[in-house]
Amino acid sequence: MARYNAQATEKKWQAFWDENKVFATQTRGNAEKYYVLEMFPYPSGRIHMGHVRVYTLGDVIARYKRAKGLDVLHPMGWDAFGMPAENAAIEEGIPPAKWTSDNIATMRLQLKSMGFSYDWSREIATCSPDYYRHEQKMFLDLLEAGLAYRKESMVNWDPVDNTVLANEQVIEGRGWRSGALVERRLLPQWMFRITAYADELLEGLPALDRWPESVRIMQENWIGRSEGMRVNFSLKGRDDHLTVFTTRHDTLFGASFCAIAADHPLAKELASDNPKLNNFIDECNRLGTSEAALEKADKTGFDTGLRALHPFDENRELTVFVANFVLMNYGTGAIFGCPAHDQRDLDFARKYGLDVLPVVCPSSQTDAEFVIADKAFTGNGMIINSAFLNGLRTEDAKRAVAERLESNNQGKTHINYRLRDWGVSRQRYWGCPIPVIHCQDCGIVPVPEIELPVLLPDDVDFDKPGNPLDRHPTWKYVQCPCCDSPARRETDTFDTFVDSSWYFCRYACPNAEMPLDTKAVHAWLPVDQYVGGIEHAILHLLYSRFFMRAMRKCGYVDFDEPFTGLLAQGMVCHDTYRDAQGWLYPEEVERNQKGLLVRRDTQTPVIAGRSESMSKSKKNVVDPETIISAYGADTARLFMLSDSPPERDIEWTESGVDGAWRFVQRIWRMVDEPKFPLAPKNMPAPSHIDGPSLALRRTTHKIISDVTNDIDKFRFNRAVARVRELTNAIGAFEHNDRAGSWAVREALETLVQLIGPMMPHIAEEMWHSLGHDPSLVNHPWPEPDPTLIAAENVTVAVQVNGKLRTTLTLGLNVDPAVAESRALADPTVIASIGGRTVRKIVVVPNRVINVVV
RNA sequence: CGGCGCGUGGUGGAAUUGGUAUACACAACAGACUUAAAAUCUGUCCCCUUUUAAGGGUUGUCGGUUCGAGUCCGACCGUGCCGACCA
């Protein structure tokens, strides 16, 4: 009896798959296509458990769809530009290109050792000129299409990474990567006009019905469409006016002040001869960057001395404040304050003693009893105290106000979005160079297409902070392509989210001379199933949806949505351990004889913290490689699939891995040393099968049906449970006769096929042991026999007044009247009825009979 | 503060989507095999009454709809994630 040797067997089959190009993408023409893609990794050095999970999920889908006879595209590549490579250069003196390609080489080997079914011939790395030259060409197209532009704009500046961050890369006022407090700076930036597609991106969401609801809601909120009005307030003693954005123009008569943002142009103008106002603005800007402080910050304002006139009543003068709670980057950077119906305005009004005039009365109260204390009423209702609006409901009042303001040229209905244009400039070296040239005479000149790619120079130094491209002695000095006079290259590079906004298209045509081969892209795209972390719910997924539309406008494709299905998998968690010295790795901790957690080396006590997602900072990580070398890839893959549904977090436990390992051994023994000889392979079914053998056949086919269903719905944990049931059924089977040995072979072969996508190496080995030629990968998925699934008898629950009293075995689809009389004849049921009158009998066929008395 | 999600045994979780709650595993306990250990196999394993048989209760709490609720509705409690002054 030989123990299953996972390491040798896995290597053997990986080599077989490789040599025979088993996973080469097929295009058979008559088969349906299926594109399954997992988010490509950043080559940080080594794979971690998060990678193992997401790529296992994707691989099960890919192998399953392949077995189902579909043409599957399942590629892998590298999100290879980005700051860690530069940090390595700064800290260890390794050039970013070398650091990155070394990491890719390591991680590629690690992924191969997991046995994933990638078509490696389509591998791409975003840092390769073969990739980024096409990105540069696409940028030129976007530029021409008016979707890329340059703008002097206030940016989020990360003082640690010395770079600009997009709004969504700022989390609680800190850089998403460095964690440094973000400053505001005015810099010329390259922007992508994502706002041009705000409505389209919003309207496309409901059709993405195979996306998680939560992701769609997050994107919806991020786009932040709101219907309202721009309203002009005349300014006393000035010719110009103040434009505010509001969604509650029905409350216009409740206005008691106006407020503008600290960086509103009007505020800046007024501050030029008002030092106190200037001071106040400075204070706001300082606060404006630190969101944590802002949370508790009081609403403060500064009276500019200006007075705005109410649009419907020139005699009403409203003080114009600069206020710290008004944001320049939303709406017009100016508001009118209606304290009775907006909590912020109410807080502000109470602080500065301003009027609070209720103008909307909730339907539950009369206007006489309705008062505003410390809570604003923000709901809809009946308009009061509002001249010509009195008696109207909120919606009608909005319409009436809009009509009157528009006819007086005092306002315009307006749809406002929270979404901002996407700033793509990064002042970094390790990114795709932006292919433009700055000429004193000609301005911004695109690099001519024949000169692409603009290559990154190799000879850069990382001794000083800032952008090495900018400091390079020669790289940026070029001649203007238009006038030949001396000019300078753009030294900004792209945000790496640009790289990942189209890579999924390039997989369809990795060697095309053009950025995209439209025919190939249309053959494979959209991605049928995308798998990745929920952390990309907004950034990557929204950018990709935008880029798809931009590529459509540039004529590359004729569809809008890159990913029609999305599976957002949960994180891999592990217990945390620490002692007085700090966090400890799991392998540094053990249980002593008393069962207490202690350090392995010193035997001193260890505190067990709660389970959290694996992270290097908390040291609660398990290196996949140690698991693979101890148990093999199949065990790791099985563990990732069992127990928890994919979208939920999974708890990595040593005992769970042991359990998975035991299962691998167990199924191996079933073919390596069967309890009795199996029927020869390919033998036709015996003409007569009954008793336990028939029962085993029924189980086998029921489980084919269940597992197929479960994998279709990505309920892999249930699929694993069903497979274990089949294993238990085979293990318990004792019927050593002709029919029995045939049924066992059928069950075993089914078992092997069902675990194929989950544990491909052992499945391949068992398939071979059962006498079949490789590769199982190309063997069709088993089909359940419907006549075996349909049971002839069903167990039906019998309830009296909703309480379970007994169960009956009835024929399938038996006449309800028969079921009824069988139930009423049952002694337990008679006893439960206890002589009471039967009022009603509910019969749910094949499920339940409920006697109501 | 808002949005979204979750709450089922000691643990991870299952429940045909309103129809027999606790599938499948992990852990624990007992036993078999063994000189011993590992491995393997068998059994017990939500709670209460009772030796068993049998009965009663149970899906965070309270209420509602229904012949019937883990599942639907309302309120509350707890918890997690995300967004946060979005006018």
Side-chain angles (χ1 to χ4, degrees):
Chain A
M1 139 178 183
R3 243 164 112 80
Y4 174 66
N5 185 336
Q7 287 67 33
T9 310
E10 292 184 353
K11 278 215 174 59
K12 178 176 88 182
W13 289 108
Q14 284 159 17
F16 177 88
W17 295 328
D18 233 17
E19 281 158 24
N20 294 281
K21 297 192 166 49
V22 169
F23 302 121
T25 307
Q26 287 189 40
T27 324
R28 284 167 296 187
N30 57 343
E32 207 180 317
K33 71 95 182 174
Y34 194 88
Y35 185 1
V36 54
L37 180 69
E38 301 102 60
M39 291 179 185
F40 65 167
Y42 179 80
S44 54
R46 308 173 62 75
I47 63 167
H48 53 68
M49 282 300 176
H51 293 130
V52 172
R53 188 171 193 202
V54 61
Y55 299 138
T56 298
L57 294 171
D59 200 49
V60 173
I61 298 170
R63 285 174 177 268
Y64 168 71
K65 293 290 178 182
R66 184 183 288 266
K68 288 286 264 184
L70 281 68
D71 277 345
V72 172
L73 175 60
H74 188 215
M76 180 43 71
W78 311 95
D79 188 12
F81 273 137
M83 281 182 308
E86 283 187 63
N87 295 339
I90 294 163
E91 285 155 25
E92 297 160 50
I94 309 165
K98 178 173 167 37
W99 185 83
T100 304
S101 65
D102 286 355
N103 286 349
I104 287 176
T106 306
M107 291 173 72
R108 189 191 294 114
L109 279 178
Q110 290 186 305
L111 290 184
K112 286 192 172 182
S113 75
M114 284 298 300
F116 297 132
S117 63
Y118 299 124
D119 178 355
W120 282 104
S121 73
R122 291 177 185 246
E123 178 180 2
I124 56 180
T126 57
C127 66
S128 152
D130 281 340
Y131 182 82
Y132 70 70
R133 59 184 268 231
H134 301 299
E135 189 163 309
Q136 291 175 343
K137 160 72 170 113
M138 229 153 352
F139 170 80
L140 297 180
D141 293 332
L142 259 64
L143 195 60
E144 208 180 310
L147 291 173
Y149 66 99
R150 196 167 140 96
K151 183 182 138 194
E152 187 91 357
S153 67
M154 196 65 91
V155 297
N156 306 302
W157 179 261
D158 185 321
V160 168
D161 284 335
N162 278 317
T163 191
V164 165
L165 300 174
N167 276 346
E168 45 274 51
Q169 290 166 343
V170 180
I171 294 146
E172 290 179 5
R174 291 170 182 274
W176 73 304
R177 213 157 212 161
S178 70
L181 278 175
V182 169
E183 299 167 6
R184 316 193 68 190
R185 286 195 187 178
L186 202 61
L187 280 179
Q189 295 293 308
W190 283 100
M191 312 290 289
F192 282 170
R193 212 179 294 279
I194 189 171
T195 54
Y197 293 95
D199 249 337
E200 259 199 52
L201 290 169
L202 185 67
E203 281 162 11
L205 287 172
L208 297 173
D209 56 348
R210 290 192 299 119
W211 280 37
E213 175 91 44
S214 62
V215 173
R216 297 198 311 239
I217 290 171
M218 275 193 251
Q219 293 212 349
E220 190 182 326
N221 291 340
W222 190 263
I223 295 166
R225 181 184 200 269
S226 42
E227 291 181 13
M229 289 199 81
R230 284 170 179 252
V231 183
N232 299 330
F233 284 73
S234 311
L235 294 169
K236 195 180 177 188
R238 291 174 63 118
D239 295 334
D240 57 347
H241 52 256
L242 180 67
T243 304
V244 307
F245 175 71
T246 180
T247 55
R248 290 303 300 270
H249 30 295
D250 57 311
T251 67
L252 199 49
F253 281 99
S256 57
F257 67 95
C258 283
I260 59 176
D263 40 359
H264 192 282
L266 187 58
K268 283 179 194 157
E269 179 200 320
L270 294 169
S272 62
D273 56 359
N274 186 341
K276 279 188 179 166
L277 177 58
N278 205 23
N279 275 346
F280 180 78
I281 290 172
D282 282 350
E283 243 172 70
C284 288
N285 280 340
R286 228 172 299 130
L287 256 177
T289 56
S290 145
E291 306 260 346
L294 203 137
E295 188 181 336
K296 291 172 193 93
D298 258 357
K299 307 210 172 349
T300 56
F302 189 95
D303 183 350
T304 59
L306 271 185
R307 297 294 175 262
L309 304 179
H310 194 282
F312 293 142
D313 182 358
E314 298 222 335
N315 298 319
R316 277 175 74 176
E317 294 185 3
L318 308 175
T319 305
V320 178
F321 291 89
V322 171
N324 66 347
F325 65 94
V326 180
L327 309 171
M328 190 60 220
N329 60 16
Y330 185 80
T332 60
I335 61 152
F336 81 80
C338 179
H341 305 290
D342 184 290
Q343 193 58 45
R344 292 157 303 179
D345 297 348
L346 183 62
D347 296 344
F348 190 81
R350 292 291 187 225
K351 180 162 177 180
Y352 292 100
L354 306 170
D355 292 342
V356 178
L357 176 68
V359 293
V360 184
C361 182
S363 49
S364 58
Q365 293 180 50
T366 65
D367 53 348
E369 63 189 25
F370 179 53
V371 283
I372 298 289
D374 56 354
K375 272 203 109 136
F377 172 66
T378 56
N380 292 348
M382 182 81 80
I383 306 296
I384 54 174
N385 301 326
S386 297
F388 68 96
L389 300 175
N390 285 339
L392 294 179
R393 310 218 35 97
T394 295
E395 284 312 310
D396 300 324
K398 281 185 183 173
R399 216 167 295 128
V401 168
E403 262 169 42
R404 184 157 314 191
L405 287 177
E406 287 190 337
S407 62
N408 295 345
N409 277 328
Q410 288 174 298
K412 186 104 190 71
T413 55
H414 180 77
I415 295 165
N416 195 67
Y417 297 92
R418 210 187 74 112
L419 182 71
R420 321 290 311 151
D421 272 342
W422 174 17
V424 294
S425 285
R426 295 294 180 270
Q427 290 65 46
R428 310 296 310 181
Y429 161 73
W430 194 234
C432 172
I434 300 178
V436 296
I437 288 163
H438 300 275
C439 172
Q440 272 202 322
D441 300 322
C442 312
I444 290 167
V445 182
V447 172
E449 271 179 41
I450 50 159
E451 287 176 29
L452 295 183
V454 176
L455 288 170
L456 282 174
D458 297 329
D459 52 338
V460 284
D461 71 87
F462 291 92
D463 303 343
K464 303 181 208 88
N467 184 353
L469 286 180
D470 202 35
R471 292 196 308 268
H472 192 278
T474 57
W475 186 77
K476 72 175 172 183
Y477 301 104
V478 291
Q479 283 187 330
C480 171
C482 291
C483 68
D484 283 344
S485 56
R488 287 180 307 103
R489 275 194 197 289
E490 173 65 66
T491 58
D492 284 355
T493 51
F494 281 132
D495 178 2
T496 56
F497 279 114
V498 178
D499 312 334
S500 56
S501 289
W502 69 285
Y503 78 107
F504 43 87
C505 289
R506 185 71 188 169
Y507 282 133
C509 48
N511 302 311
E513 267 309 300
M514 296 283 290
L516 295 179
D517 171 344
T518 304
K519 218 179 131 199
V521 171
H522 283 164
W524 287 111
L525 275 278
V527 174
D528 296 281
Q529 190 58 50
Y530 201 29
V531 188
I534 190 84
E535 65 273 20
H536 292 110
I538 296 171
L539 309 185
H540 165 55
L541 293 172
L542 193 61
Y543 291 154
S544 298
R545 296 182 61 220
F546 155 71
F547 214 83
M548 208 68 237
R549 287 162 171 82
M551 289 188 287
R552 181 195 63 196
K553 187 171 183 189
C554 296
Y556 287 105
V557 295
D558 66 1
F559 59 96
D560 296 327
E561 292 295 345
F563 318 113
T564 49
L566 176 68
L567 175 61
Q569 94 281 355
M571 294 176 297
V572 182
C573 297
H574 195 279
D575 288 339
T576 51
Y577 305 105
R578 68 185 308 171
D579 66 2
Q581 275 74 53
W583 298 104
L584 295 165
Y585 288 105
E587 60 266 26
E588 293 179 291
V589 178
E590 65 180 7
R591 284 197 186 272
N592 65 12
Q593 290 93 330
K594 290 174 190 159
L596 297 171
L597 284 172
V598 294
R599 277 185 77 134
R600 217 175 267 278
D601 50 356
T602 59
Q603 295 294 306
T604 50
V606 166
I607 303 155
R610 61 171 202 167
S611 176
E612 293 188 60
S613 87
M614 286 189 180
S615 79
K616 278 179 196 151
S617 63
K618 299 209 170 86
K619 294 195 174 178
N620 60 338
V621 290
V622 175
D623 186 346
E625 211 162 279
T626 65
I627 299 301
I628 294 168
S629 56
Y631 300 95
D634 285 337
T635 298
R637 294 171 61 121
L638 176 64
F639 179 84
M640 285 300 180
L641 298 168
S642 345
D643 294 349
S644 290
E647 58 280 358
R648 228 182 280 186
D649 286 352
I650 194 169
E651 178 70 24
W652 182 272
T653 61
E654 193 65 25
S655 56
V657 180
D658 280 338
W661 171 236
R662 280 199 298 271
F663 182 70
V664 168
Q665 295 290 346
R666 186 166 172 223
I667 56 175
W668 170 246
R669 280 195 305 271
M670 285 185 165
V671 295
D672 191 46
E673 38 179 296
K675 278 193 276 187
F676 46 81
L678 304 176
K681 73 165 172 165
N682 298 334
M683 194 178 92
S687 52
H688 188 73
I689 297 188
D690 59 6
S693 301
L694 181 62
L696 180 61
R697 289 208 70 199
R698 285 190 185 284
T699 303
T700 301
H701 285 262
K702 178 76 169 67
I703 282 171
I704 293 173
S705 161
D706 286 348
V707 169
T708 305
N709 223 326
D710 288 337
I711 296 182
D712 276 332
K713 291 176 178 157
F714 306 145
R715 293 191 289 202
F716 304 120
N717 56 326
R718 271 177 30 149
V720 170
R722 296 290 90 84
V723 163
R724 293 186 114 124
E725 273 177 33
L726 180 57
T727 309
N728 291 343
I730 298 170
F733 189 78
E734 303 282 359
H735 225 65
N736 184 8
D737 61 11
R738 242 172 78 83
S741 74
W742 194 89
V744 169
R745 171 172 274 277
E746 181 188 43
L748 274 175
E749 292 192 348
T750 300
L751 174 72
V752 170
Q753 292 178 69
L754 296 181
I755 63 168
M758 308 171 187
M759 297 179 281
H761 309 90
I762 192 170
E764 201 75 83
E765 184 71 13
M766 288 168 75
W767 191 241
H768 187 69
S769 276
L770 287 167
H772 296 280
D773 293 330
S775 165
L776 175 64
V777 171
N778 293 317
H779 198 83
W781 190 252
E783 290 285 341
D785 179 341
T787 61
L788 288 169
I789 294 180
E792 14 187 49
N793 293 314
V794 287
T795 308
V796 175
V798 183
Q799 302 172 333
V800 175
N801 279 353
K803 277 193 182 166
L804 180 72
R805 290 300 164 188
T806 189
T807 57
L808 289 177
T809 302
L810 298 175
L812 186 71
N813 297 327
V814 77
D815 185 342
V818 175
E820 215 174 287
S821 56
R822 283 283 306 276
L824 289 175
D826 186 273
T828 323
V829 175
I830 292 167
S832 298
I833 294 170
R836 290 172 291 180
T837 318
V838 175
R839 278 183 22 221
K840 185 174 166 190
I841 300 177
V842 181
V843 179
V844 180
N846 305 325
R847 292 234 190 287
V848 76
I849 299 163
N850 191 9
V851 181
V852 186
V853 298

